């Protein structure tokens, strides 16, 4: 896997209707048949909203329509707690 975008900032609308900023890392293989999205700096309950914004703004310009996606939401580690990731289904 190779980094396509790192710490790419994007704006999304939260469930409460507020505009929020999030960051995403996009990794892809050489043929762009598979890609991994790592959503950062957003609450896990807002991940579906953020993914929807990415689908409408950034992803159509970076990835082919037939690319298989793996979507991860990175939870930052708190004091004494390891960082965790939540895997989202593509239909989120």
């Amino acid at each position: 896997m190779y980094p396509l975008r790192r710490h790419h900032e994007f704006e999304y609308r939260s469930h409460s209707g507020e505009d929020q900023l999030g960051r995403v890392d996009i990794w892809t293989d050489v043929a762009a048949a598979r890609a991994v999205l790592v959503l950062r700096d957003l609450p896990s309950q807002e991940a579906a909203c953020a993914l929807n914004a990415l689908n409408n703004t950034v992803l159509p310009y970076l990835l082919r329509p037939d690319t298989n996606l793996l979507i991860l939401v990175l939870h930052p580690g708190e004091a004494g707690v390891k960082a965790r990731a939540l895997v989202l289904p593509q239909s989120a």
Side-chain angles (χ1 to χ4, degrees):
M1 296 299 249
Y2 300 95
L4 188 60
R5 292 282 190 273
R6 297 197 79 189
H7 305 291
H8 177 79
E9 283 192 350
F10 66 96
E11 189 173 286
Y12 67 94
R13 180 138 317 175
S14 68
H15 286 294
S16 62
E18 299 174 17
D19 291 335
Q20 302 288 330
L21 283 178
R23 286 192 293 168
V24 65
D25 295 340
I26 303 172
W27 297 76
T28 185
D29 62 358
V30 174
R34 294 181 304 154
V36 176
L37 304 178
V38 181
L39 298 170
R40 301 173 173 269
D41 299 335
L42 57 108
S44 59
Q45 64 268 21
E46 299 293 339
C49 295
L51 185 57
N52 187 35
L54 286 170
N55 279 332
N56 291 324
T57 57
V58 176
L59 296 181
Y61 299 102
L62 297 177
L63 302 174
R64 298 184 335 216
D66 61 340
T67 301
N68 291 323
L69 293 176
L70 176 65
I71 303 141
L72 304 171
V73 181
L74 186 65
H75 297 275
E78 298 174 10
V81 179
K82 290 171 43 174
R84 303 274 184 206
L86 170 70
V87 179
L88 288 184
Q90 290 182 21
S91 62

